[in-house]
Amino acid sequence: MSYVDEVYERVVAKNPAEPEFHQAVKEFLESIRPVVDKHEEEYRKTALLERLTEPERQIRFRVPWVDDKGQVQVNTGYRVQFNSAIGPYKGGLRFHPSVYLGIIKFLGFEQIFKNSLTGLPIGGGKGGSDFDPKGKSDREVMAFCQSFMTELYRHIGADTDVPAGDIGVGGREIGFLYGQYKRITGLYEGVLTGKGLTYGGSLARTEATGYGLLYFTKELLKINGKDIKGMTAAVSGAGNVAIYAIQKAQQMGVKVLTCSDSTGWIYDPDGIDVATLQEVKEVHRARLTEYKAKRPNSVYHEGRGVWVTKTDLALPCATQNELTLDDAKTLVENGCIAVCEGANMPTTLDATEYLKSHGVIFGPAKAANAGGVATSALEMSQNSERLSWTFEEVDQKLQQIMINIVHNIDNAAREYGKEGDYAAGANIAGFLKVADAMQAQGIV
Ligand code: NDP
């Protein structure tokens, strides 16, 4: 059996009942096969792939808090510090009822290679909780965040592990988490990113993942001889990534026809109105039915379904495995030319294969949504310098990082005979840097 297959079997056996983690590892290992074949003896001897797929540290903890009725609630908190070969652990915190160790491990594993692709010195980690902020009062969210940080603070630090936001963790949550960290430790340091602008946050961090996705998509289309201007797009999600992806798409002359949340989706023939979407989601934290009420021309559908819309581009920005094989078939039938992933692992493995084999340009999450973490790393730099850069300065650096990523993954794919397979290119380019650093640092 090949080394890659052995390692995959070992991962499945050692991490039972964690299908998302298996999926992320499988996708990664399959595409680095040509690199591993070239170095098999060395990698086997140093158990490089076994070390790479085993987190350096996994922390799981109790998070008790008191709700508004005086009832004590208990959630589970996680932080997986996956790999620190090229820098301090970096990756977001997700608060969603579906969170369990397997989700955090899949996200932490992907984060290693995404962070490597940014070209910045950041290792991979991820954390979160099965806490659901939806429907909770601000006081309840604060009580939860304070309890969560009361345990997490001892494991993180500006030079060791720097969490950020993800699903369910936005500016409000980061503020509560940061306040508690500072209160416990007495340190005013860049231990979290995505902070508010009055206390160490970076301009353009809020927009970075969505904007970065569009900078990436534009460049990817360009190297394939296509101009993004004048195209149409379907976007899923209505959160941080989706909102700023839609905004930047529109600035680039793309008409975005859809968005979605966990209960339904919107088709707006006039193009999604970002100001309305922000009011509904960022201010009122309401359902998309409120968007429909404010935009009578739009259509609201219950359940999932954005991918039935005929568009040139598909930009999944909600959650994992939200674009299935059936959706991929519909997209191909409707003439979609590119799928670029704003969310993490939103496309199932069979759907990814189908899209690639039918000539759809596929921009994988690791590369396409790396703008968020890249800008988080820029926030860390500003915190260390005790300086704030302008919006334009940060945005300029973000654009350059995304353009570099496109060319790096394109080159890596070509070098290993996989021209046009950007998922393979992203895995290979991300892996090579981490592998080199791990080998140089000995058996640790
Ligand atoms: P948000 O919580 O701001 O928004 C998530 C959106 O997706 C919401 O509209 C939510 O619906 C919807 N959603 C969440 N879970 C589901 C589900 N199970 N089924 C259907 N819809 C769902 O999160 P972000 O925008 O920050 O994150 C979106 C994706 O992007 C995630 O995969 C995340 O890992 C990834 N990502 C985020 C980065 C960031 O900087 N924030 C960086 C890189 C990747 P509802 O409104 O009903 O809650």
Side-chain angles (χ1 to χ4, degrees):
M1 192 187 287
S2 79
Y3 181 38
V4 159
D5 295 324
E6 260 176 47
V7 170
Y8 179 67
E9 280 202 0
R10 183 176 185 275
V11 166
V12 173
K14 280 197 77 177
N15 304 272
E18 294 180 359
E20 297 86 0
F21 181 49
H22 303 166
Q23 181 181 340
V25 171
K26 188 177 177 63
E27 190 266 342
F28 167 78
L29 287 176
E30 281 306 330
S31 49
I32 61 157
R33 217 180 255 277
V35 187
V36 177
D37 287 349
K38 235 175 151 176
H39 304 272
E40 173 150 354
E41 202 182 323
E42 178 205 341
Y43 288 178
R44 244 184 211 282
K45 185 143 194 279
T46 55
L48 181 71
L49 298 184
E50 289 87 335
R51 286 188 287 139
L52 198 58
T53 50
E54 180 78 37
E56 288 176 19
R57 197 169 297 103
Q58 304 184 43
I59 301 143
R60 180 189 160 126
F61 51 97
R62 179 174 71 204
V63 190
W65 56 282
V66 183
D67 71 16
D68 284 347
K69 295 192 187 92
Q71 174 64 47
V72 174
Q73 302 287 342
V74 181
N75 288 99
T76 308
Y78 303 91
R79 186 72 184 164
V80 173
Q81 299 179 328
F82 222 118
N83 192 298
S84 61
I86 62 168
Y89 310 105
K90 181 93 197 85
L93 298 171
R94 177 176 291 191
F95 292 169
H96 192 271
S98 65
V99 164
Y100 75 107
L101 192 58
I103 293 268
I104 301 298
K105 277 160 72 177
F106 117 63
L107 290 163
F109 184 70
E110 297 246 304
Q111 196 82 44
I112 303 169
F113 311 106
K114 177 187 309 192
N115 293 1
S116 166
L117 284 173
T118 65
L120 300 167
I122 36 179
K126 198 83 188 186
S129 173
D130 57 359
F131 172 74
D132 187 358
K134 227 174 262 160
K136 304 286 191 302
S137 68
D138 284 353
R139 195 212 60 81
E140 287 176 321
V141 172
M142 180 172 74
F144 173 81
C145 288
Q146 291 180 339
S147 180
F148 183 85
M149 185 53 85
T150 301
E151 174 58 32
L152 186 69
Y153 88 93
R154 71 191 78 239
H155 307 291
I156 62 176
D159 294 315
T160 49
D161 184 355
V162 183
D166 190 79
I167 291 179
V169 179
R172 174 182 61 170
E173 290 75 16
I174 292 289
F176 292 147
L177 291 163
Y178 187 69
Q180 185 72 352
Y181 179 85
K182 185 165 63 68
R183 186 179 193 196
I184 296 172
T185 63
L187 296 171
Y188 205 101
E189 61 173 11
V191 69
L192 291 165
T193 57
K195 298 186 291 299
L197 295 177
T198 50
Y199 61 96
S202 172
L203 284 160
R205 173 60 187 95
T206 307
E207 295 84 354
T209 309
Y211 278 22
L213 172 66
L214 268 294
Y215 296 143
F216 174 92
T217 305
K218 184 179 178 191
E219 189 69 13
L220 192 65
L221 290 170
K222 190 171 154 195
I223 67 168
N224 281 279
K226 297 178 197 305
D227 185 356
I228 197 168
K229 194 170 173 199
M231 289 191 175
T232 53
V235 169
S236 64
N240 173 265
V241 180
I243 287 173
Y244 294 98
I246 296 170
Q247 188 172 72
K248 183 51 72 179
Q250 290 176 347
Q251 288 170 10
M252 289 179 174
V254 174
K255 188 169 190 182
V256 180
L257 294 169
T258 68
C259 65
S260 67
D261 68 10
S262 48
T263 53
W265 63 285
I266 288 285
Y267 170 78
D268 191 333
D270 304 323
I272 297 292
D273 186 71
V274 174
T276 306
L277 187 60
Q278 282 180 304
E279 194 189 338
V280 172
K281 283 294 172 183
E282 291 182 344
V283 183
H284 300 165
R285 298 178 190 275
R287 310 258 46 106
L288 285 174
T289 41
E290 194 177 308
Y291 180 97
K292 158 74 194 157
K294 288 176 192 288
R295 301 265 298 174
N297 263 354
S298 68
V299 185
Y300 175 80
H301 301 269
E302 276 295 316
R304 60 189 298 283
V306 288
W307 313 125
V308 300
T309 313
K310 185 172 164 43
T311 54
D312 302 310
L313 307 173
L315 306 173
C317 296
T319 194
Q320 64 275 355
N321 292 329
E322 52 156 319
L323 198 162
T324 63
L325 180 59
D326 283 344
D327 300 324
K329 287 180 178 167
T330 310
L331 289 172
V332 168
E333 244 176 66
N334 283 338
C336 171
I337 58 165
V339 173
C340 290
E341 299 183 316
N344 283 311
M345 207 168 75
T347 316
T348 58
L349 283 177
D350 50 4
T352 306
E353 278 319 307
Y354 189 87
L355 291 168
K356 289 197 294 193
S357 64
H358 286 76
V360 178
I361 300 166
F362 183 77
K366 275 184 198 86
N369 72 24
V373 74
T375 308
S376 276
L378 301 179
E379 182 174 330
M380 288 164 73
S381 300
Q382 293 169 77
N383 291 162
S384 303
E385 287 186 333
R386 306 222 186 279
L387 288 174
S388 299
W389 305 338
T390 63
F391 188 98
E392 289 69 30
E393 244 176 309
V394 179
D395 191 40
Q396 198 55 46
K397 289 187 199 316
L398 169 64
Q399 282 187 54
Q400 199 51 56
I401 289 169
M402 300 315 293
I403 289 171
N404 291 347
I405 290 176
V406 170
H407 293 281
N408 285 346
I409 67 175
D410 182 37
N411 291 338
R414 283 172 200 276
E415 197 180 326
Y416 284 88
K418 296 193 165 222
E419 189 176 341
D421 185 344
Y422 304 110
N427 284 322
I428 292 170
F431 167 71
L432 285 172
K433 181 174 172 190
V434 175
D436 186 70
M438 284 177 75
Q439 297 299 58
Q441 291 171 28
I443 306 307
V444 292

